Amino acid sequence: MIELHNLSKVYRTSDVETTALNNINLEISEGEFIAIMGPSGCGKSTLLNILGMLDTPNSGSYKFLGDDVAKRSERELAIVRKQNIGFIFQSFNLIDELTVAENVELPLLYQKMPAKDRAERVQQVLERVNIAHRADHRPQQLSGGQQQRVAVARAVVTNPNLILADEPTGNLDTTNGEEVLNLLGQLNSDGTTIVMVTHDQGHADHASRVVHMLDGRVLSENVTGIQPVSEARHA
């Protein structure tokens, strides 16, 4: 699904040049659950932004589903994102003025799905993450764990091939964090590829492979023992 070859990202100002990513080589297969770990400032979030086509590398190549995305225009990248990628953020990023159902429905509006189909899909997804009983509430009326469930629902409502999660449990207590990780595990079991940034080794243990980063480089990779969905299907 994802192939990165000698990928680098450098941020420049008039006085400072900062190398965020330095010759990254990484492949991620469909159905994998990848955890990316490393200290603050090591390039984890920059890598996730590039994988999500929210940022572009300065050099190297990024192939997504066999296509070199560096050759695509911003408009074309936006279409690829809408069709293939769901995002989950640490800060939830819900819109306070909208209800839970309206927040989850938002990505479907961009896909111009008919209203009846949108309503059915939103209901299905809210039930899947066990938050349907809060459909008419607004985000500020929910607990942190409930808000993150809504964020997960919004990320998966379009049936994306890939979910990118940036510290999805960072603002949650242990119990709610574990529930969100279990949700991601269920999505992965259903075939969704997941790439998650985390500082917590216990959370990383939910993944099938852990990528350790340091100073903008991939330092090491190790398999956790959890079988990737892509391999489990052929077992």
Side-chain angles (χ1 to χ4, degrees):
M1 172 179 274
I2 290 171
E3 300 176 57
L4 307 180
H5 295 291
N6 298 323
L7 186 142
S8 295
K9 178 66 180 181
V10 178
Y11 294 102
R12 296 182 177 91
T13 66
S14 57
D15 301 316
V16 180
E17 181 176 288
T18 303
T19 300
L21 298 175
N22 191 354
N23 289 322
I24 297 289
N25 291 284
L26 182 66
E27 293 188 7
I28 299 174
S29 300
E30 290 190 54
E32 281 199 278
F33 188 160
I34 304 295
I36 301 175
M37 298 191 71
S40 297
C42 73
K44 303 186 301 297
S45 292
T46 299
L47 177 58
L48 210 66
N49 286 337
I50 288 177
L51 293 180
M53 304 172 205
L54 300 174
D55 201 353
T56 55
N58 295 102
S59 61
S61 67
Y62 170 21
K63 288 186 178 181
F64 182 75
L65 296 175
D67 184 37
D68 189 348
V69 298
K71 298 179 181 179
R72 296 296 180 183
S73 67
E74 179 52 44
R75 181 176 178 276
E76 290 172 326
L77 291 178
I79 293 172
V80 174
R81 281 196 301 269
K82 286 189 293 185
Q83 294 177 342
N84 294 282
I85 303 175
F87 297 88
I88 304 173
F89 304 96
Q90 177 178 344
S91 56
F92 313 141
N93 287 354
L94 302 177
I95 299 174
D96 290 338
E97 292 76 22
L98 300 181
T99 66
V100 164
E102 289 168 342
N103 267 280
V104 175
E105 181 187 28
L106 200 56
L108 299 178
L109 293 173
Y110 294 123
Q111 293 192 346
K112 300 180 179 179
M113 181 182 287
K116 181 181 178 182
D117 294 340
R118 290 200 309 269
E120 292 177 355
R121 179 62 185 156
V122 168
Q123 181 65 24
Q124 291 170 358
V125 173
L126 290 178
E127 289 176 358
R128 185 178 188 183
V129 302
N130 195 27
I131 200 70
H133 61 295
R134 296 285 194 174
D136 295 327
H137 288 70
R138 299 189 186 277
Q140 60 266 37
Q141 296 175 293
L142 308 180
S143 69
Q146 290 172 330
Q147 288 187 59
Q148 193 60 297
R149 283 179 175 272
V150 177
V152 171
R154 182 184 57 191
V156 304
V157 73
T158 58
N159 285 320
N161 297 315
L162 172 67
I163 288 180
L164 301 176
D166 194 356
E167 295 281 0
T169 61
N171 286 332
L172 303 178
D173 59 33
T174 301
T175 300
N176 283 310
E178 196 66 25
E179 288 181 357
V180 169
L181 288 168
N182 288 335
L183 275 175
L184 293 178
Q186 291 168 18
L187 293 168
N188 180 243
S189 295
D190 291 339
T192 305
T193 305
I194 300 195
V195 180
M196 175 181 70
V197 164
T198 181
H199 282 96
D200 191 307
Q201 182 60 57
H203 295 169
D205 289 341
H206 286 257
S208 54
R209 179 159 54 110
V210 182
V211 176
H212 297 272
M213 293 186 64
L214 183 67
D215 297 333
R217 295 178 178 271
V218 172
L219 191 65
S220 64
E221 300 181 42
N222 64 280
V223 178
T224 63
I226 297 176
Q227 195 175 25
V229 173
S230 56
E231 295 181 12
R233 286 174 174 167
H234 296 91

